Amino acid sequence: LAMVQNASDPEAVNQYSLLQLDDASTPMRSANYDLLDKFCTHIATDKILTELTKTRGEERSAVWLKEFMSKQGLGNTKATEWGMGRSFLRNMLNEPPKVVNDDGEMKLIDPLDVAARVMAERQVVSELWISAMEEVQEDHLDLHRRFMESCFESFRIQLPDFGEA
C-alpha cells in the first residue's frame, strides 16, 4: 500500500483506476480501454507507414513516421505509459512541417496530414474491433454451455449403477 501524505497518493500515477460498475456500465475497465486505444493507434500507424512506404514520392514521410514512432515508443511492446495512443497523436499534431532535401529535390513532410491519416485509419480499426467483439457474449455463453455439459456427462459416468431393485 502506498503511504498517503498530505491528502495525495504518490503512487497514484502507477496505478490503473477501476471503473465503478453499476447496472448500466460494462465490465471493461479503464486499463482495457487504454490498451485498446494504444492497440488501434499502433495498428493504424503501421498501416499508414506501409502505405507511405509503397507510395511513390511519400518515402521521406515514411522515414519520418518510422523515426517518430521509434522516438515516441509506439512500436515498443514493453512501453506501458498510460495514455500512449493519445499522447502519440497529440505529439504528432504538435510537430511542425519539415522540408527535406531528397537528392536535390525539396520534399515537404506534413505531420498534420500523417496524423489525419492515422486518425482516420484508427477509426476503421476501431470499428473492425467493435464488430469482432459483438459475438463475444454468444461465444462466452456457448463455452459455458459446453463446459457444463461436459461436467454433467463426467458426473453421470461416475455415478454407480445400482440396477433395478
Side-chain angles (χ1 to χ4, degrees), residues 1 3 5 21-23 27-28 40 54 60 98 101-103 106-107 109 126 131-132 145 147 154 162-163:
L1 293 173
M3 183 181 291
Q5 299 174 350
L21 300 178
D22 59 10
D23 291 338
M28 186 176 288
C40 291
K54 291 180 179 179
R60 297 300 282 165
K98 296 175 179 17
N101 187 352
D102 187 19
D103 295 329
M106 302 305 280
K107 299 272 184 166
I109 298 174
S126 299
S131 68
R145 187 178 304 114
F147 173 72
S154 65
F162 293 113

Side-chain angles (χ1 to χ4, degrees), residues 19-92:
L19 296 175
Q20 295 298 324
L21 300 178
D22 59 10
D23 291 338
S25 68
T26 66
M28 186 176 288
R29 302 189 190 286
S30 297
N32 291 342
Y33 176 81
D34 186 62
L35 185 62
L36 282 172
D37 185 50
K38 179 183 172 189
F39 167 78
C40 291
T41 304
H42 180 74
I43 296 299
T45 306
D46 276 348
K47 185 168 183 188
I48 298 303
L49 180 62
T50 303
E51 288 175 6
L52 290 173
T53 304
K54 291 180 179 179
T55 305
R56 187 167 172 81
E58 297 278 6
E59 297 90 356
R60 297 300 282 165
S61 293
V63 170
W64 174 84
L65 181 57
K66 188 172 185 175
E67 290 172 359
F68 186 78
M69 284 177 67
S70 177
K71 185 171 63 173
Q72 295 292 316
L74 186 65
N76 184 356
T77 56
K78 295 181 181 181
T80 58
E81 178 185 332
W82 184 261
M84 182 174 251
R86 289 183 183 194
S87 66
F88 175 80
L89 287 172
R90 188 179 317 111
N91 292 340
M92 189 184 297

Side-chain angles (χ1 to χ4, degrees), residues 10-22:
E11 298 294 319
V13 295
N14 299 327
Q15 299 170 357
Y16 287 110
S17 61
L18 302 179
L19 296 175
Q20 295 298 324
L21 300 178
D22 59 10

Side-chain angles (χ1 to χ4, degrees), residues 141-158:
L141 288 172
D142 189 44
L143 286 171
H144 275 288
R145 187 178 304 114
R146 281 192 255 155
F147 173 72
M148 294 303 289
E149 287 171 356
S150 69
C151 288
F152 287 136
E153 183 64 28
S154 65
F155 180 72
R156 188 183 62 78
I157 291 172
Q158 293 175 2

